[in-house]
Amino acid sequence: MKKILTILVLVLCTQLHFAQYFTLTPQGFVSANKSEYVVVDVPNTKQKDLYKSVLNALSTMYKDPKKVLSTVDGESISVKGYEENVIEHKFKGSPLQIGKLTLKYDLSYTISFLFKDNRIRIDRPSFELRRWYEGGYNSGWVSEWQYLPLNVNKNVKTAVFDKNGEINSELSYNGLNKHFNNLITEILEKSKKINDW
């Protein structure tokens, strides 16, 4: 009986630790019920307290909170974050290349939190992936930002999803899902503990 109880506790802890708030689709992130937002219930907590806790948690997570946080006092917080070399993307390069090429992309994103008594609404993240390309002889020495779009189109060779909406790169797809779900989990966990000292 103890063994079953221990396994049950471990499974529950694992489920809580790896919460899946959003899943990436060719149309962007969606919640489990295909909505553009998730509502997290926080029983017996006033709106102003939820707002303060999340704001305090976010303030500890970013080097310069004033640059990345936009707030409507007591009602909402928007985060405009940027991280370098955080998402990897693997794709087949030129026909002469053997195997697949793996590149790292910078991630800029926006995610918003809205507050009511006992509830936090988290809007789906929006994001952009780009990397700096140092041009060489073949490119005419042109250096530029190269973007990784969500979907393949006539102007790009690679994207997270192909033209049929199938996953083009498991590496970037999984990386984006993991990154944003972990970020939301970290924010919510820190907000619970921020005043518990």
Side-chain angles (χ1 to χ4, degrees), residues 73-91:
D73 195 35
E75 293 181 22
S76 69
I77 303 168
S78 288
V79 181
K80 291 189 180 194
Y82 182 80
E83 296 178 50
E84 292 182 353
N85 297 317
V86 70
I87 300 296
E88 291 184 334
H89 181 74
K90 188 179 280 192
F91 71 100

Side-chain angles (χ1 to χ4, degrees), residues 160-176:
V160 179
F161 293 95
D162 68 17
K163 62 184 176 185
N164 299 318
E166 299 295 319
I167 298 168
N168 203 17
S169 170
E170 291 282 339
L171 197 57
S172 55
Y173 172 79
N174 291 334
L176 286 162

Side-chain angles (χ1 to χ4, degrees), residues 47-63:
Q47 176 180 349
K48 66 177 181 158
D49 295 330
L50 289 171
Y51 170 83
K52 278 177 157 176
S53 295
V54 171
L55 181 61
N56 288 338
L58 288 166
S59 295
T60 66
M61 293 173 64
Y62 293 93
K63 290 179 186 174

Side-chain angles (χ1 to χ4, degrees), residues 103-171:
L103 300 171
K104 287 189 175 184
Y105 285 83
D106 297 352
L107 173 67
S108 56
Y109 60 89
T110 301
I111 187 167
S112 298
F113 299 82
L114 292 89
F115 305 92
K116 288 189 176 180
D117 288 350
N118 308 314
R119 291 182 294 166
I120 302 171
R121 172 179 156 162
I122 306 165
D123 289 343
R124 73 179 184 174
S126 61
F127 66 92
E128 180 180 76
L129 295 166
R130 68 182 189 169
R131 71 179 193 88
W132 184 250
Y133 171 73
E134 287 290 336
Y137 177 76
N138 291 338
S139 70
W141 302 102
V142 175
S143 297
E144 62 187 0
W145 284 106
Q146 291 186 339
Y147 294 86
L148 178 65
L150 193 54
N151 299 292
V152 167
N153 62 50
K154 64 182 179 182
N155 299 325
V156 295
K157 294 178 186 175
T158 188
V160 179
F161 293 95
D162 68 17
K163 62 184 176 185
N164 299 318
E166 299 295 319
I167 298 168
N168 203 17
S169 170
E170 291 282 339
L171 197 57

Side-chain angles (χ1 to χ4, degrees), residues 21-41:
Y21 296 99
F22 293 99
T23 302
L24 190 61
T25 71
Q27 292 74 41
F29 280 104
V30 295
S31 67
N33 64 357
K34 306 295 183 220
S35 175
E36 293 188 357
Y37 62 88
V38 166
V39 176
V40 177
D41 292 319

